[in-house]
mmCIF file of all heavy atoms in Angstrom:
data_model
loop_
_atom_site.group_PDB
_atom_site.id
_atom_site.type_symbol
_atom_site.label_atom_id
_atom_site.label_comp_id
_atom_site.label_asym_id
_atom_site.label_seq_id
_atom_site.Cartn_x
_atom_site.Cartn_y
_atom_site.Cartn_z
ATOM 1 N N ALA A 1112 -33.589 3.648 21.163
ATOM 2 C CA ALA A 1112 -32.533 2.812 21.745
ATOM 3 C C ALA A 1112 -32.793 2.580 23.226
ATOM 4 O O ALA A 1112 -32.621 1.454 23.729
ATOM 5 C CB ALA A 1112 -31.170 3.472 21.532
ATOM 6 N N ILE A 1113 -33.234 3.615 23.930
ATOM 7 C CA ILE A 1113 -33.535 3.471 25.362
ATOM 8 C C ILE A 1113 -34.725 2.537 25.563
ATOM 9 O O ILE A 1113 -34.711 1.676 26.453
ATOM 10 C CB ILE A 1113 -33.786 4.861 25.999
ATOM 11 C CG1 ILE A 1113 -32.490 5.668 26.010
ATOM 12 C CG2 ILE A 1113 -34.340 4.715 27.400
ATOM 13 C CD1 ILE A 1113 -32.661 7.105 26.421
ATOM 14 N N VAL A 1114 -35.744 2.688 24.739
ATOM 15 C CA VAL A 1114 -36.914 1.806 24.833
ATOM 16 C C VAL A 1114 -36.513 0.349 24.568
ATOM 17 O O VAL A 1114 -36.930 -0.570 25.273
ATOM 18 C CB VAL A 1114 -38.023 2.267 23.861
ATOM 19 C CG1 VAL A 1114 -39.125 1.221 23.737
ATOM 20 C CG2 VAL A 1114 -38.597 3.609 24.309
ATOM 21 N N LEU A 1115 -35.665 0.133 23.564
ATOM 22 C CA LEU A 1115 -35.197 -1.214 23.253
ATOM 23 C C LEU A 1115 -34.398 -1.804 24.413
ATOM 24 O O LEU A 1115 -34.607 -2.970 24.797
ATOM 25 C CB LEU A 1115 -34.355 -1.200 21.978
ATOM 26 C CG LEU A 1115 -33.754 -2.545 21.572
ATOM 27 C CD1 LEU A 1115 -34.852 -3.517 21.156
ATOM 28 C CD2 LEU A 1115 -32.737 -2.358 20.478
ATOM 29 N N LEU A 1116 -33.516 -1.010 24.998
ATOM 30 C CA LEU A 1116 -32.730 -1.496 26.136
ATOM 31 C C LEU A 1116 -33.614 -1.815 27.338
ATOM 32 O O LEU A 1116 -33.398 -2.819 28.025
ATOM 33 C CB LEU A 1116 -31.658 -0.465 26.513
ATOM 34 C CG LEU A 1116 -30.485 -0.324 25.540
ATOM 35 C CD1 LEU A 1116 -29.589 0.811 25.971
ATOM 36 C CD2 LEU A 1116 -29.717 -1.622 25.436
ATOM 37 N N MET A 1117 -34.592 -0.986 27.585
ATOM 38 C CA MET A 1117 -35.500 -1.246 28.715
ATOM 39 C C MET A 1117 -36.326 -2.500 28.466
ATOM 40 O O MET A 1117 -36.559 -3.299 29.382
ATOM 41 C CB MET A 1117 -36.398 -0.036 28.963
ATOM 42 C CG MET A 1117 -35.648 1.164 29.523
ATOM 43 S SD MET A 1117 -36.695 2.602 29.766
ATOM 44 C CE MET A 1117 -37.744 2.063 31.072
ATOM 45 N N THR A 1118 -36.755 -2.702 27.234
ATOM 46 C CA THR A 1118 -37.522 -3.904 26.892
ATOM 47 C C THR A 1118 -36.666 -5.157 27.066
ATOM 48 O O THR A 1118 -37.120 -6.158 27.643
ATOM 49 C CB THR A 1118 -38.038 -3.820 25.443
ATOM 50 O OG1 THR A 1118 -38.792 -2.617 25.301
ATOM 51 C CG2 THR A 1118 -38.890 -5.016 25.094
ATOM 52 N N LEU A 1119 -35.443 -5.102 26.574
ATOM 53 C CA LEU A 1119 -34.551 -6.251 26.736
ATOM 54 C C LEU A 1119 -34.250 -6.518 28.210
ATOM 55 O O LEU A 1119 -34.157 -7.671 28.638
ATOM 56 C CB LEU A 1119 -33.250 -6.019 25.963
ATOM 57 C CG LEU A 1119 -33.352 -6.090 24.444
ATOM 58 C CD1 LEU A 1119 -32.031 -5.688 23.807
ATOM 59 C CD2 LEU A 1119 -33.762 -7.483 23.997
ATOM 60 N N ASP A 1120 -34.102 -5.463 28.999
ATOM 61 C CA ASP A 1120 -33.850 -5.618 30.435
ATOM 62 C C ASP A 1120 -35.046 -6.278 31.115
ATOM 63 O O ASP A 1120 -34.878 -7.154 31.970
ATOM 64 C CB ASP A 1120 -33.560 -4.252 31.061
ATOM 65 C CG ASP A 1120 -33.074 -4.374 32.494
ATOM 66 O OD1 ASP A 1120 -32.340 -5.349 32.790
ATOM 67 O OD2 ASP A 1120 -33.425 -3.497 33.316
ATOM 68 N N ASN A 1121 -36.253 -5.897 30.721
ATOM 69 C CA ASN A 1121 -37.456 -6.508 31.295
ATOM 70 C C ASN A 1121 -37.611 -7.966 30.880
ATOM 71 O O ASN A 1121 -38.225 -8.751 31.593
ATOM 72 C CB ASN A 1121 -38.706 -5.717 30.895
ATOM 73 C CG ASN A 1121 -38.801 -4.409 31.653
ATOM 74 O OD1 ASN A 1121 -38.288 -4.274 32.751
ATOM 75 N ND2 ASN A 1121 -39.458 -3.434 31.036
ATOM 76 N N LEU A 1122 -37.055 -8.336 29.727
ATOM 77 C CA LEU A 1122 -37.116 -9.715 29.272
ATOM 78 C C LEU A 1122 -36.043 -10.599 29.912
ATOM 79 O O LEU A 1122 -36.007 -11.788 29.686
ATOM 80 C CB LEU A 1122 -36.993 -9.786 27.745
ATOM 81 C CG LEU A 1122 -38.157 -9.194 26.960
ATOM 82 C CD1 LEU A 1122 -37.841 -9.183 25.473
ATOM 83 C CD2 LEU A 1122 -39.432 -9.993 27.229
ATOM 84 N N GLY A 1123 -35.162 -10.003 30.701
ATOM 85 C CA GLY A 1123 -34.145 -10.774 31.411
ATOM 86 C C GLY A 1123 -32.778 -10.781 30.760
ATOM 87 O O GLY A 1123 -31.882 -11.499 31.208
ATOM 88 N N VAL A 1124 -32.592 -9.999 29.703
ATOM 89 C CA VAL A 1124 -31.291 -9.932 29.039
ATOM 90 C C VAL A 1124 -30.389 -8.998 29.840
ATOM 91 O O VAL A 1124 -30.814 -7.940 30.305
ATOM 92 C CB VAL A 1124 -31.455 -9.418 27.595
ATOM 93 C CG1 VAL A 1124 -30.104 -9.254 26.917
ATOM 94 C CG2 VAL A 1124 -32.349 -10.346 26.804
ATOM 95 N N ASN A 1125 -29.105 -9.400 30.010
ATOM 96 C CA ASN A 1125 -28.148 -8.574 30.744
ATOM 97 C C ASN A 1125 -27.692 -7.428 29.831
ATOM 98 O O ASN A 1125 -26.805 -7.584 28.993
ATOM 99 C CB ASN A 1125 -26.960 -9.420 31.194
ATOM 100 C CG ASN A 1125 -26.090 -8.690 32.186
ATOM 101 O OD1 ASN A 1125 -26.289 -7.506 32.453
ATOM 102 N ND2 ASN A 1125 -25.117 -9.397 32.731
ATOM 103 N N VAL A 1126 -28.303 -6.271 30.005
ATOM 104 C CA VAL A 1126 -28.060 -5.117 29.146
ATOM 105 C C VAL A 1126 -26.680 -4.517 29.402
ATOM 106 O O VAL A 1126 -26.027 -4.023 28.481
ATOM 107 C CB VAL A 1126 -29.179 -4.063 29.346
ATOM 108 C CG1 VAL A 1126 -28.936 -2.838 28.495
ATOM 109 C CG2 VAL A 1126 -30.527 -4.662 29.032
ATOM 110 N N THR A 1127 -26.198 -4.586 30.628
ATOM 111 C CA THR A 1127 -24.890 -4.017 30.968
ATOM 112 C C THR A 1127 -23.792 -4.700 30.167
ATOM 113 O O THR A 1127 -22.882 -4.040 29.657
ATOM 114 C CB THR A 1127 -24.621 -4.188 32.474
ATOM 115 O OG1 THR A 1127 -25.715 -3.655 33.199
ATOM 116 C CG2 THR A 1127 -23.353 -3.478 32.881
ATOM 117 N N MET A 1129 -24.148 -6.138 27.257
ATOM 118 C CA MET A 1129 -24.296 -5.712 25.865
ATOM 119 C C MET A 1129 -23.654 -4.340 25.632
ATOM 120 O O MET A 1129 -22.935 -4.138 24.650
ATOM 121 C CB MET A 1129 -25.771 -5.643 25.474
ATOM 122 C CG MET A 1129 -26.388 -6.969 25.138
ATOM 123 S SD MET A 1129 -28.125 -6.844 24.687
ATOM 124 C CE MET A 1129 -28.180 -5.496 23.572
#
Side-chain angles (χ1 to χ4, degrees):
I1113 292 171
V1114 169
L1115 178 67
L1116 288 175
M1117 290 178 68
T1118 304
L1119 288 174
D1120 189 36
N1121 286 334
L1122 293 174
V1124 176
N1125 192 353
V1126 178
T1127 307
M1129 280 180 46

